[in-house]
Amino acid sequence: MNGTPRLRSAYPSTPQARQKRHIQYDAATGSSSPKVPLPKESRSQPDALAPMIPFNLVDAPSQRFYVAFFYLALLIWRLCDYYGLVSDETDSFRLFMKWVVIDGVVLYGLPGLRIPWLQWSSTTMTMLFALHAIADYVLMFRVPIPLEAWLIAFTRLFYNRELAVSERRVKAANVLNNASLILGKQIIHILPEGSAMLNPNQTAFCLDSLTASVDLPIWINQTNPVLIELLRIDIDTNTNETLIIQTKEIQRLKKQADKQLSNRTPTSPRHLEYPVKRTGLYRLQKVLDESKLEVQRRLSDTLVVHCPSAHMRAVPQVKCIGDLSDFYIEVDATPPIQIKYSKIVNNKESGHAVLSIPPNNPVSPLVRQRTSGALVSHASPNEADVSWARSQSTTISVNESLAINGQWQYSIDEVQDGCGNVVDYSKRRLRNTYHRHASTELPLDQTFSVYERPRAALQGCDSQHALQVPKGRSIQLPLRISSTGSEKVAQGSHQISYLFTPNARILSNQEHAEDTALAHFTSESHGSNYKVHEPGLYTLQSVRSAFCAGEILEPSSCLLSNPPEPNVSIVTQSIPDRCAGNSIGLLVDLDLTGSPPFRLSYNIRRRGGPVTPKIAESNLLHTQLELRPTHSGHYTYEFLDISDSVYREPRSLRNQNLVLEQDVKPPASARFLDAYPSRKTCIGEPVALGVQLSGEPPWRLDYELIHHGRRQKHRVVGIESSVHTLATDELKTGGEYSLALSAVTDSSGCKVSLEQETKIEVALQRPKAAFGLVEGQRSILALEDRLVRLPLRLQGEPPWTVQYRKIDGTNGDITSGVFKNSNDAIDVGDAGTYELIHVNDGTCPGNVDAVANRFTVKWVPRPRVQVSESAVIEVVRGKHIKKEICEGDEDALEISLTGTAPFDVEYSHHIKPERGSQSSTTKKFTAGFNVASVRMESSEAGTHHYQISKVSDLSYNHDPRKFSPIDIEQRVHARPSAAFVESGKTYKYCKEEEAGGENVPIALKGQHPFHLEVEVRHHASAKTELVTIPNIESQKYKLHVPYRLLSLGTHTVQLRKVRDAHGCQRQMDQETPRVQVNVAEVPSISALESQTDYCIGDRISYMLSGSPPFNVFYTFNGQERKAAAPTTNFRRLAEKPGEFTINAVADQKSADCKAHTSITKVIHEMPSVRVSKGRTATVDIHEGGEAEIMFEFGGTPPFEFTYTRSSNPPKGKKPQILDTKSDISYEFSKTILASDEGMYEVVAIKDRFCSFSTQKVHGKAGRKLLT
């Protein structure tokens, strides 16, 4: 039989004959030989292929054994030379040449032996010699060989398992090559053409109370559907349902559609109108034709929403000129929304405005450009969120300036939602149908009443024309109030604010001082009722009416001044009688000084008769006064006082001695004795007037009584007395009466016409009395036992007689008082409530106001001391026990003082120390406010007692009968102390070890629990750290120094501060005893890679420093683990996602110490992708149609993936890749549309951190960590 086929590199075959013959194996020689004898010619010639050593001497297997043994001996010799080279440092080159020669002789001499299976070609021999030469070079020149790595690599061919982060051995290939990361494929078949589409024109639809249903258009082309499925997603709940249109309903819809087509053909497109009555998102989900195949659908989602609506929100309707309209429109519609509204001002249309409202949901497809007809994901409509299509209730604020007074009206005209639905309210108003169908509680109009703003200015006075007022008198501020739209006076009261600067502080530029304060008052609409009296500059600052704030016009400043007082000088001239030549009077020239008009008072005295006062008035600075007495005799004229327009109170002239004398014999005359031109009386009472007659008696007197244009003439004859009383009848009608003397005749029979007239004012009502207000109320606080003035408000003619009494005291007697001023006051000296009983004015009895007939007087309270509650722990038997403090602490007693500041307080301090004698002191202080602090003594520990014994204020002196001392007691505690039990001792610690280490004993004195502060200082760096130890419950404490404060080397630990349970603390100085702490070195661990993020299948490596072996403590996914590391390398395979944190490491040298660290690595899940839910799906579409391919991802977005489109091969053949595309997704799913036929599957996936690919690169699946 033929020899076994061999490779070119195999051993050569045993020689055989060319002809086929039977072969017999010779067991003696170990060779094969033919049974038949060789030809003669072969026997006679030497055999060239015969071995050098015949097989009959040494068979072929033995020869091969001897050669192998010889080669092994050479190898041992070679290794011995290598060992001697390492130990003796012999010549490497000599040994290298030695063994190259030996290998050449052996290898090239071996074929000459012609041993079966050891006869190689020259090429093979050259390759073997080159390999031996390389081995000789490596050994003789001591080139390092990674034998351990080769051995590990060789071992992994049979057992490839590694330690993972969960401390179990796993096969790396199973972790790296996870076929479940990419699952699923989708196959698309092209079907014959035919299509259907929902709402091709994208018409907007909505439902409301007026529109109960809408017809959705379904467009079908070149197909005859027998089943139509509509998907409806509810807007409010996101739930979906499928609406199935059966064949019968489709036929009915087709008949309706055919009626609208005039030239209909079997292939003509049809528009089926399907009615719906509920809101939602509608999608054409499935259409089957007569062949039960699915018709191509063009994606076109249709929204049916609630119709948009809008109304006004009620706001205040009162505005001022210049205000903003500031009203609100409430809109309920699917965003984005547009609102159109109009404005009418005083029944005139004033334009339109359009407002746009974006949606609250930024993912709404209604606000961005749509690349397809789909409004939600077509891959998973069951999980779609259509909350963006819900009606959004929005409040819109509209602000514009209201520049015209009158009636403003804003009206909503139109509202449009994001789908294009429009509600026109203006057309509804024209049709007058809105109020029949819509709710009347939702107004569409907003009306405002816009008022004018007030204006204020000063009238008759400005900074150039001063307002003249007598010294010490007041005058009403001449204020004029108008409005912005007209000069008419604004109605209602106004709030006025102004600045006032006295004359002495007015600046040189006639401006106010910088620190001038702002004052306020209220004025009625007709003008000011506010009085000013102090000379200076007054400037208006602001004005406000009941509705609006106004503006100040010019003049706004007024200067009030005090002019000079009036005076007079006289020059006289006698007046002769033209008949008898006797002197009948005097002409007096008056030179006046002051402010006209003037009023000059003087007396006329007839010898033997009474004094008659007179008054002369003049508007000029120079005038004449004619003095003509009515009776004969010697007359003396004396000028008494003078007044002018400013100083209305008369100024005395007696010091100027202006007295004139004259003898006079006057003609007959008559005049009223009443010096005033009018008098008043009560209604229903007669009036009696005295008349002074001059001349010779008897007299006849004619007079008239005039009232409301009616005259009553009267005559009195035979008057013998020079003084006569004229009495009228009862005056039953109120108002003004005139009583005029028309003529008088004396005994000479000479009738003289008179021009004497007096006015009689008959009161229309009775006088009235009431108590006034003091700071807005009818009560007052006054000092005890002081005189108090109760303000009165009297109406009528002065003087008034008022009766009052005290109603809440023991004395209820009625008291009477006469008052001349309408704003007079009653003086009382007792506290209580006073009541008005009765009032009379100078003419009539009156009434008391029942609302304001009582006034209460209360005494200002005497000074009183009260300890603040916050400073007192408890009150024991009238003694205030204050919170305990520490020796040397600062503390104060807060006391409240009642009365009038400042207060003078006196107190005593008594101390009872813990050791020593007691002591007492007395102290005083003055408090400027109602709250004061008394410093508590704490320099000595013990019990401190304080007693407040005296108090007085600005109003009252101390009265021991009306003040009770206040006792306060406080405990002062001694400060605690602390010290080391073994000062100077050295303690040992391990660096960064959280457990173990020696404790430092400390002795404490005081009240536990203690709060201790310790200082730790490193000798090398001199860095100081503080340790705070709270809640030490005993007087002996063992301190464990925190390792965060320790580093390698020696540290000094010193006590710095101690605090006990009383809150007392002691600060230690630098000389206090201390102890030493010595810290030893610990091992360390560091990551070989700087990266933090890893993928499943990556290897996490660390480098350890210290003395191996090591123990590594780590946490993986919250579970603590311990691992041993025999070398300085520590590596684990990331088999699961999670957080891998190295917590500590310990080595052999410092077995009791751990080096704590926190090296965290995050292991991320490999990205995954599923196509068609991880299954192989087949989709049939029509030509030109599109199919949805949904990719679902796992991992961390964004995702980059590569997918291929392969041909759909016949069964048994491999598919051919037609196209390769890459895409990116920022979500966990993505849907693409495909219209080409083929098989779609993903070949590579990559997320934010990791990637995976099924494409083979050098025989392995590709994966990597993304950085």
Side-chain angles (χ1 to χ4, degrees), residues 527-571:
S528 171
N529 54 0
Y530 184 69
K531 291 186 177 182
V532 293
H533 66 279
E534 189 173 354
L537 182 62
Y538 294 83
T539 301
L540 301 179
Q541 292 296 308
S542 65
V543 60
R544 182 177 183 84
S545 68
F547 300 106
C548 307
E551 60 179 319
I552 301 298
L553 303 179
E554 294 298 333
S556 62
S557 296
C558 179
L559 184 64
L560 189 146
S561 64
N562 299 134
E565 297 180 351
N567 203 351
V568 63
S569 62
I570 61 175
V571 177

Coordinates of all heavy atoms in Angstrom, one line a residue, residues 527-571:
G527 N -59.7 123.1 49.3 CA -58.4 123.9 49.7 C -57.9 123.4 50.9 O -58.2 122.3 51.4
S528 N -57.0 124.2 51.5 CA -56.2 123.7 52.7 C -56.9 124.2 54.0 O -57.5 125.3 54.0 CB -54.8 124.3 52.7 OG -54.2 124.1 53.9
N529 N -56.9 123.3 55.0 CA -57.4 123.7 56.3 C -56.3 123.5 57.3 O -56.5 123.3 58.5 CB -58.6 122.9 56.7 CG -58.3 121.4 56.6 OD1 -57.2 121.0 56.2 ND2 -59.3 120.6 56.9
Y530 N -55.0 123.6 56.8 CA -53.8 123.3 57.6 C -53.2 124.7 58.0 O -53.0 125.5 57.1 CB -52.9 122.4 56.9 CG -51.6 122.1 57.7 CD1 -51.7 121.2 58.7 CD2 -50.4 122.6 57.3 CE1 -50.6 120.9 59.5 CE2 -49.3 122.3 58.1 CZ -49.4 121.4 59.1 OH -48.3 121.1 59.9
K531 N -52.9 124.9 59.2 CA -52.4 126.1 59.7 C -50.9 126.0 60.0 O -50.4 125.0 60.5 CB -53.1 126.6 61.0 CG -54.5 127.0 60.8 CD -55.1 127.6 62.0 CE -56.6 128.1 61.8 NZ -57.2 128.7 63.0
V532 N -50.1 127.1 59.6 CA -48.7 127.2 59.9 C -48.5 128.5 60.6 O -49.2 129.5 60.5 CB -47.9 127.2 58.6 CG1 -48.0 125.8 57.9 CG2 -48.4 128.3 57.6
H533 N -47.4 128.6 61.5 CA -47.2 129.8 62.2 C -45.7 130.1 62.3 O -45.4 131.3 62.5 CB -47.7 129.6 63.7 CG -47.0 128.5 64.4 ND1 -47.2 127.2 64.3 CD2 -46.0 128.6 65.3 CE1 -46.4 126.5 65.1 NE2 -45.6 127.3 65.7
E534 N -44.8 129.2 62.1 CA -43.4 129.5 62.3 C -42.9 130.1 61.0 O -43.1 129.5 59.9 CB -42.7 128.2 62.6 CG -41.2 128.4 63.0 CD -40.6 127.1 63.5 OE1 -41.3 126.1 63.6 OE2 -39.4 127.2 63.8
P535 N -42.2 131.2 61.1 CA -41.6 131.8 59.9 C -40.6 130.9 59.2 O -39.8 130.3 60.0 CB -41.1 133.2 60.4 CG -40.8 132.9 61.8 CD -41.9 132.0 62.3
G536 N -40.6 130.9 57.9 CA -39.6 130.0 57.2 C -40.1 129.7 55.8 O -41.1 130.3 55.4
L537 N -39.4 128.7 55.2 CA -39.7 128.3 53.8 C -40.5 127.0 53.9 O -40.1 126.0 54.4 CB -38.4 128.1 53.0 CG -38.6 127.8 51.6 CD1 -39.3 128.9 50.8 CD2 -37.2 127.5 50.9
Y538 N -41.7 127.0 53.2 CA -42.6 125.9 53.1 C -42.6 125.5 51.6 O -42.8 126.3 50.7 CB -44.0 126.2 53.6 CG -44.1 126.5 55.0 CD1 -43.8 127.8 55.5 CD2 -44.5 125.5 55.9 CE1 -43.9 128.0 56.9 CE2 -44.6 125.8 57.3 CZ -44.3 127.0 57.8 OH -44.4 127.3 59.1
T539 N -42.3 124.1 51.3 CA -42.3 123.6 50.0 C -43.1 122.4 49.9 O -42.9 121.4 50.7 CB -40.9 123.4 49.5 OG1 -40.1 124.5 49.6 CG2 -40.9 122.8 48.1
L540 N -44.1 122.3 49.0 CA -44.9 121.1 48.8 C -44.1 120.0 48.1 O -43.3 120.3 47.2 CB -46.1 121.4 47.9 CG -47.1 122.5 48.4 CD1 -48.2 122.7 47.5 CD2 -47.6 122.1 49.8
Q541 N -44.3 118.8 48.6 CA -43.5 117.6 48.0 C -44.4 116.6 47.3 O -44.0 116.1 46.2 CB -42.8 116.9 49.2 CG -41.7 117.7 49.8 CD -40.6 118.0 48.8 OE1 -40.0 117.2 48.2 NE2 -40.3 119.3 48.7
S542 N -45.6 116.4 47.8 CA -46.4 115.4 47.1 C -47.9 115.6 47.5 O -48.2 116.2 48.5 CB -46.0 113.9 47.5 OG -46.2 113.7 48.8
V543 N -48.8 115.0 46.6 CA -50.2 115.1 46.8 C -50.8 113.8 46.4 O -50.4 113.2 45.4 CB -50.8 116.3 46.1 CG1 -50.6 116.2 44.6 CG2 -52.3 116.4 46.4
R544 N -51.8 113.3 47.1 CA -52.5 112.1 46.7 C -54.0 112.2 47.1 O -54.4 112.7 48.1 CB -51.9 110.9 47.5 CG -52.5 109.6 47.1 CD -51.9 108.4 47.9 NE -52.4 107.2 47.4 CZ -52.1 106.5 46.4 NH1 -51.1 107.0 45.6 NH2 -52.7 105.4 46.0
S545 N -54.8 111.7 46.1 CA -56.2 111.7 46.3 C -56.7 110.4 46.8 O -55.9 109.5 47.1 CB -57.0 112.1 45.0 OG -56.8 111.1 44.0
A546 N -58.0 110.1 46.8 CA -58.5 108.9 47.3 C -58.2 107.7 46.3 O -58.1 106.6 46.7 CB -60.0 108.9 47.5
F547 N -57.9 108.1 45.0 CA -57.6 107.1 44.0 C -56.2 107.1 43.5 O -55.6 106.1 43.3 CB -58.5 107.3 42.8 CG -60.0 107.2 43.1 CD1 -60.8 108.3 43.2 CD2 -60.6 106.0 43.4 CE1 -62.1 108.2 43.5 CE2 -61.9 105.8 43.7 CZ -62.7 107.0 43.7
C548 N -55.6 108.3 43.4 CA -54.3 108.4 42.6 C -53.3 109.3 43.4 O -53.7 110.3 44.1 CB -54.6 109.0 41.2 SG -55.8 108.1 40.3
A549 N -52.1 109.1 43.1 CA -51.0 110.0 43.5 C -50.9 111.0 42.5 O -51.0 110.8 41.3 CB -49.7 109.2 43.7
G550 N -50.7 112.3 42.9 CA -50.6 113.4 41.9 C -49.3 114.0 41.8 O -48.2 113.4 42.1
E551 N -49.3 115.3 41.3 CA -48.0 116.0 41.1 C -48.1 117.4 41.7 O -49.2 117.9 41.9 CB -47.7 116.1 39.6 CG -48.8 116.8 38.8 CD -48.4 116.9 37.3 OE1 -47.2 117.2 37.1 OE2 -49.3 116.7 36.4
I552 N -47.0 118.0 42.0 CA -46.9 119.3 42.6 C -46.6 120.3 41.4 O -45.6 120.1 40.7 CB -45.8 119.4 43.7 CG1 -46.2 118.3 44.8 CG2 -45.7 120.7 44.2 CD1 -47.5 118.6 45.4
L553 N -47.4 121.4 41.3 CA -47.2 122.4 40.4 C -46.5 123.6 41.1 O -46.4 123.7 42.3 CB -48.5 122.8 39.7 CG -49.3 121.7 39.0 CD1 -50.5 122.2 38.4 CD2 -48.4 121.0 37.9
E554 N -46.1 124.5 40.2 CA -45.5 125.8 40.7 C -46.7 126.8 40.8 O -47.6 126.9 40.0 CB -44.4 126.3 39.9 CG -43.2 125.4 39.8 CD -42.6 125.3 41.2 OE1 -42.7 126.2 42.0 OE2 -42.0 124.2 41.5
P555 N -46.6 127.8 41.8 CA -45.6 127.8 42.8 C -45.9 126.7 43.9 O -47.0 126.5 44.3 CB -45.8 129.2 43.4 CG -47.2 129.6 43.2 CD -47.6 128.9 41.9
S556 N -44.7 126.1 44.3 CA -44.8 125.1 45.3 C -44.1 125.5 46.6 O -44.2 124.8 47.6 CB -44.2 123.8 44.8 OG -42.8 124.0 44.5
S557 N -43.5 126.7 46.6 CA -42.8 127.1 47.8 C -43.4 128.5 48.3 O -43.8 129.3 47.4 CB -41.3 127.3 47.5 OG -40.7 126.1 47.2
C558 N -43.4 128.6 49.5 CA -43.9 129.9 50.1 C -43.1 130.3 51.3 O -42.7 129.4 52.2 CB -45.4 129.7 50.6 SG -46.1 131.1 51.3
L559 N -42.7 131.6 51.4 CA -41.9 132.1 52.5 C -42.9 132.8 53.4 O -43.5 133.8 53.1 CB -40.8 133.0 52.0 CG -39.9 133.6 53.0 CD1 -39.1 132.4 53.6 CD2 -38.9 134.6 52.4
L560 N -42.9 132.4 54.7 CA -43.8 133.0 55.7 C -42.9 133.9 56.5 O -41.8 133.6 57.0 CB -44.4 131.9 56.6 CG -45.5 132.4 57.6 CD1 -46.5 131.3 57.8 CD2 -44.9 132.7 59.0
S561 N -43.4 135.2 56.7 CA -42.6 136.2 57.4 C -43.4 137.0 58.4 O -44.7 137.0 58.3 CB -42.0 137.3 56.4 OG -43.0 138.0 55.7
N562 N -42.8 137.7 59.3 CA -43.4 138.5 60.4 C -43.1 140.0 60.1 O -42.0 140.4 60.4 CB -43.0 138.1 61.8 CG -43.3 136.6 62.1 OD1 -42.4 135.9 62.6 ND2 -44.5 136.2 61.8
P563 N -44.1 140.8 59.5 CA -43.8 142.2 59.2 C -43.7 143.0 60.5 O -44.1 142.6 61.6 CB -45.0 142.6 58.4 CG -46.1 141.7 58.8 CD -45.4 140.4 59.1
P564 N -43.3 144.3 60.4 CA -43.2 145.2 61.6 C -44.6 145.5 62.2 O -45.6 145.5 61.5 CB -42.5 146.4 61.1 CG -42.7 146.4 59.6 CD -42.8 145.0 59.2
E565 N -44.6 145.8 63.5 CA -45.9 146.1 64.1 C -46.4 147.5 63.7 O -45.6 148.4 63.4 CB -45.7 146.1 65.6 CG -45.3 144.7 66.2 CD -45.1 144.7 67.7 OE1 -45.1 145.7 68.3 OE2 -44.9 143.6 68.2
P566 N -47.7 147.7 63.8 CA -48.3 149.0 63.3 C -48.1 150.1 64.3 O -47.9 149.9 65.5 CB -49.8 148.6 63.1 CG -50.0 147.5 64.1 CD -48.8 146.7 64.1
N567 N -48.1 151.4 63.8 CA -47.9 152.6 64.7 C -48.6 153.8 64.0 O -48.9 153.7 62.8 CB -46.4 152.9 64.9 CG -46.2 153.7 66.2 OD1 -47.2 154.2 66.8 ND2 -45.0 153.9 66.5
V568 N -48.8 154.9 64.7 CA -49.5 156.1 64.2 C -48.9 157.4 64.8 O -48.4 157.4 65.9 CB -51.0 156.0 64.4 CG1 -51.3 156.0 65.9 CG2 -51.7 157.1 63.7
S569 N -48.8 158.5 64.0 CA -48.5 159.8 64.5 C -49.6 160.8 64.0 O -50.2 160.5 62.9 CB -47.2 160.3 64.0 OG -47.2 160.4 62.6
I570 N -50.0 161.8 64.8 CA -51.2 162.6 64.5 C -50.8 164.1 64.4 O -49.9 164.6 65.1 CB -52.3 162.4 65.5 CG1 -51.8 162.8 66.9 CG2 -52.8 161.0 65.5 CD1 -52.9 162.8 68.0
V571 N -51.7 164.8 63.6 CA -51.7 166.3 63.5 C -53.1 166.8 63.5 O -53.9 166.2 62.7 CB -50.9 166.8 62.2 CG1 -51.0 168.3 62.1 CG2 -49.5 166.3 62.2

